[in-house]
Amino acid sequence: AQRVTQPEKLLSVFKGAPVELKCNYSYSGSPELFWYVQYSRQRLQLLLRHISRESIKGFTADLNKGETSFHLKKPFAQEEDSAMYYCALYGGAGGTSYGKLTFGQGTILTVHP
Amino acid sequence: DTEVTQTPKHLVMGMTNKKSLKCEQHMGHRAMYWYKQKAKKPPELMFVYSYEKLSINESVPSRFSPECPNSSLLNLHLHALQPEDSALYLCASGEGQGTYEQYFGPGTRLTVT
């Protein structure tokens, strides 16, 4: 079974402060992990994928297999970062897991001016 | 065209009506998905189509009937829905193998009266 846990339902920070959104996963194989973001009244969109190790909009996320974590970080939060953030795990091809993306419960980030 | 489109944007239907939701993508993706999303909750997978064949049905009630007429189109036929089926219905597409990220449409806001 695959599971994604985002322990914080709500996270508030002030503009310019660092922000870290936590994500832990449970999966027996080699996971593919993603962060998705949903801004108010906009579609769910891909923010980061662990495999490409990129920085998007100042956000980075590192896969830590030992701690089974994929936390999302940004050193200086901006007001426009306020949104719902979902961590998601793809369980790999083959068998009943084919094509299945499992989402965490989401963290609502609010960045205050 | 690098977006997933969905029609209609909003739909209100009675419990005895029959209606359909439509989804289209022209990115050449081989997998297409239907998700159901309740307010402030993560998307819940309903169906996965891979190469136009249904590969995953997440035990969805038969009042929801998916159809994939070709590699670019995905329909969700609705019949005899219940008020608790009111939700945002999201379509997504992805390569399905090799790279596993999914791209989401804006959704259809469904209200069952």
Side-chain angles (χ1 to χ4, degrees):
Chain A
Q2 53 195 67
R3 188 164 58 203
V4 177
T5 303
Q6 292 178 251
E8 303 134 332
K9 199 167 182 174
L10 302 168
L11 186 61
S12 285
V13 300
F14 286 99
K15 179 182 168 182
V19 65
E20 181 180 48
L21 289 83
K22 292 186 172 20
C23 172
N24 289 90
Y25 67 90
S26 171
Y27 182 63
S28 55
S30 187
E32 297 284 338
L33 285 152
F34 306 92
W35 277 98
Y36 280 84
V37 60
Q38 197 166 29
Y39 300 102
S40 179
R41 292 192 175 81
Q42 291 189 30
R43 70 179 67 198
L44 190 63
Q45 52 188 283
L46 178 66
L47 180 64
L48 282 177
R49 69 204 92 177
H50 93 269
I51 200 166
S52 53
R53 300 182 63 82
E54 58 204 337
S55 173
I56 302 289
K57 299 184 180 183
F59 284 98
T60 58
D62 288 318
L63 176 61
N64 185 324
K65 289 188 178 179
E67 294 183 1
T68 59
S69 67
F70 187 55
H71 303 327
L72 183 69
K73 299 177 186 178
K74 185 169 182 176
F76 307 104
Q78 302 299 314
E79 288 176 71
E80 55 265 30
D81 296 329
S82 297
M84 170 73 92
Y85 290 80
Y86 290 106
C87 182
L89 180 152
Y90 183 93
T96 57
S97 296
Y98 182 74
K100 187 167 180 173
L101 200 59
T102 298
F103 288 87
Q105 289 300 302
T107 297
I108 299 174
L109 173 65
T110 303
V111 182
H112 299 284
Chain B
D1 190 347
T2 57
E3 280 196 344
V4 176
T5 58
Q6 289 186 245
T7 54
K9 267 188 167 175
H10 302 276
L11 179 62
V12 179
M13 60 185 289
M15 289 191 283
T16 57
N17 291 159
K18 281 186 182 180
K19 296 285 184 185
S20 296
L21 309 184
K22 295 186 186 305
C23 173
E24 195 164 356
Q25 60 93 9
H26 293 287
M27 294 177 278
H29 289 163
R30 294 168 285 188
M32 295 185 77
Y33 311 81
W34 280 116
Y35 289 85
K36 175 182 176 180
Q37 187 180 28
K38 292 278 201 179
K40 300 273 193 273
K41 296 290 186 184
E44 296 172 26
L45 183 67
M46 299 174 73
F47 302 103
V48 179
Y49 271 84
S50 172
Y51 293 93
E52 302 165 45
K53 287 189 167 52
L54 183 66
S55 62
I56 294 179
N57 176 340
E58 290 284 279
S59 304
V60 178
S62 59
R63 58 185 184 269
F64 295 91
S65 175
E67 179 198 17
C68 190
N70 59 54
S71 59
S72 300
L73 292 174
L74 188 66
N75 298 322
L76 186 63
H77 303 297
L78 314 172
H79 173 55
L81 294 193
Q82 303 296 311
E84 59 265 28
D85 296 322
S86 299
L88 183 68
Y89 287 85
L90 299 172
C91 174
S93 71
E95 281 292 321
Q97 55 184 342
T99 58
Y100 303 110
E101 63 263 26
Q102 296 176 18
Y103 297 89
F104 286 81
T108 294
R109 176 76 58 191
L110 174 68
T111 303
V112 181
T113 59

